[in-house]
Amino acid sequence: MRTPTESDSRLSGVLLMLTSGLSSQVGASVAAQAFPVIGPVGVVAIRQWMAGVVLLAVGRPRLRQITARQWRPILALALVFAVMNVSLYTAIDRVGLGLAVTLEFLGPLAVALLGSRRVIDLVCALAAAPAVLVLTRPQATTDYLGVAFGLLAAACWACYILLNRTVGRELPGATGSAAAAAVSGLAYVPVGAVVLYHHPPTLAAVAYALTAGVLSSAVPFLLDVLALRRVPAQFFGVFMSINPVLAAFVGYVVLHQQLAVPDWIAIAVIVAANVVAVSAGRRRRKVSVSDRLVTAGSVPVCEPSPLP
């Protein structure tokens, strides 16, 4: 039976990130339907409750066995996850989807630029960034509070990438994710109660928010932890540039939004940047393996995988 290789691990990580991004974008399109009734905070509250219930059922964490040292990154991840969602949704509500997504993308882009040690990763990130700007085409706005929320979402996303990797290393399976989701859900109980009291939800709004909780919180939360065990944090940041591509696809299919020629050019650039990053990583590993074989006299050298 063939044992999994590092190349297989990278490929599975890419597939996990693709699935995570697509789920997030579909969930966002569903969540937006509830904004007029319960607002962004109300949607996020219901999302967090749903995500907490689902992840607790899936992860079944043994909370009493988690040490104080392990709780620190879990609590930080719970805080970041909660603030990231409400800040992004508030930014979308105030300045629109295009500018909000562009601002949020600065977070993973910063992770890619600051954490990379390879020139090719920097080139791919720099190529993807202007393409994202073209794809979303942000318009000038005087709503500086909305812009601030977008930048806060970017900072949270950067922290989310790094903390999620730490939690994945510290705890097995979905234990850390489930614990963080539970804490975040509990934190939103008083907030959500106040918001929903002042903005009584309709059955449809609750259904939209619950669906968004599964698609945009529970599913990506689990998949991102698994992906970050297979790919470096900076590669994760570069690959996240595909989210605007997925958003364009979901917008076309779900919201019937037509794409202009510049949009398709931007999509092609983003996809190409990610393909180059993946290909370069695979070529680098092949060369490294070949070098080790030559050094060892063509005898494979078994080394423990750095990934759990």
Side-chain angles (χ1 to χ4, degrees):
M1 184 175 181
R2 190 175 70 90
T3 58
T5 63
E6 189 178 353
S7 178
D8 294 331
S9 180
R10 175 67 67 96
L11 178 59
S12 63
V14 170
L15 294 176
L16 287 168
M17 289 186 289
L18 277 173
T19 306
S20 173
L22 184 59
S23 180
S24 295
Q25 297 304 328
V26 172
S29 67
V30 172
Q33 310 300 318
F35 282 0
V37 180
I38 58 178
V41 178
V43 173
V44 171
I46 296 176
R47 272 187 51 180
Q48 297 302 101
W49 298 337
M50 170 59 73
V53 170
V54 171
L55 287 171
L56 281 175
V58 173
R60 297 181 181 180
R62 298 179 180 179
L63 301 180
R64 294 183 178 179
Q65 296 183 3
I66 300 177
T67 65
R69 182 178 64 84
Q70 293 172 331
W71 268 115
R72 285 193 288 270
I74 290 175
L75 293 176
L77 180 61
L79 175 63
V80 165
F81 192 58
V83 176
M84 178 175 65
N85 284 323
V86 74
S87 58
L88 175 63
Y89 277 17
T90 303
I92 292 174
D93 192 41
R94 298 182 70 95
V95 301
L97 180 60
L99 181 55
V101 170
T102 301
L103 292 172
E104 190 193 30
F105 177 74
L106 296 176
L109 180 60
V111 173
L113 292 173
L114 297 177
S116 177
R117 293 191 179 97
R118 298 189 305 163
V119 175
I120 189 64
D121 285 332
L122 297 179
V123 172
C124 291
L126 292 175
V132 170
L133 295 177
V134 172
L135 184 62
T136 56
R137 288 197 293 277
Q139 302 296 317
T141 177
T142 55
D143 194 336
Y144 297 109
L145 182 59
V147 172
F149 274 115
L151 293 174
L152 178 59
C156 288
W157 197 0
C159 294
Y160 167 76
I161 293 172
L162 301 175
L163 284 171
N164 219 347
R165 185 173 178 86
T166 300
V167 169
R169 285 176 170 174
E170 290 286 337
L171 294 163
T175 299
S177 302
V183 172
S184 181
L186 287 174
Y188 265 98
V189 169
V191 176
V194 172
V195 172
L196 297 180
Y197 175 79
H198 291 285
H199 302 278
T202 63
L203 183 61
V206 172
Y208 288 139
L210 289 175
T211 302
V214 174
L215 296 179
S216 294
S217 294
V219 173
F221 209 54
L222 284 171
L223 295 182
D224 288 351
V225 170
L226 296 176
L228 283 165
R229 291 177 178 175
R230 293 163 171 80
V231 301
Q234 65 267 21
F235 179 79
F236 186 97
V238 173
F239 196 87
M240 283 298 97
S241 63
I242 201 171
N243 271 293
V245 178
L246 299 176
F249 173 76
V250 171
Y252 177 77
V253 174
V254 178
L255 304 177
H256 307 292
Q257 296 175 344
Q258 299 296 324
L259 296 175
V261 173
D263 296 323
W264 290 115
I265 294 175
I267 288 174
V269 171
I270 292 171
V271 172
N274 284 287
V275 169
V276 170
V278 174
S279 301
R282 296 180 68 177
R283 284 197 301 270
R284 182 189 179 195
R285 285 190 299 277
K286 288 180 180 178
V287 171
S288 178
V289 171
S290 299
D291 290 343
R292 289 200 299 269
L293 291 175
V294 172
T295 303
S298 299
V299 177
V301 179
C302 297
E303 297 178 355
S305 171
L307 300 173

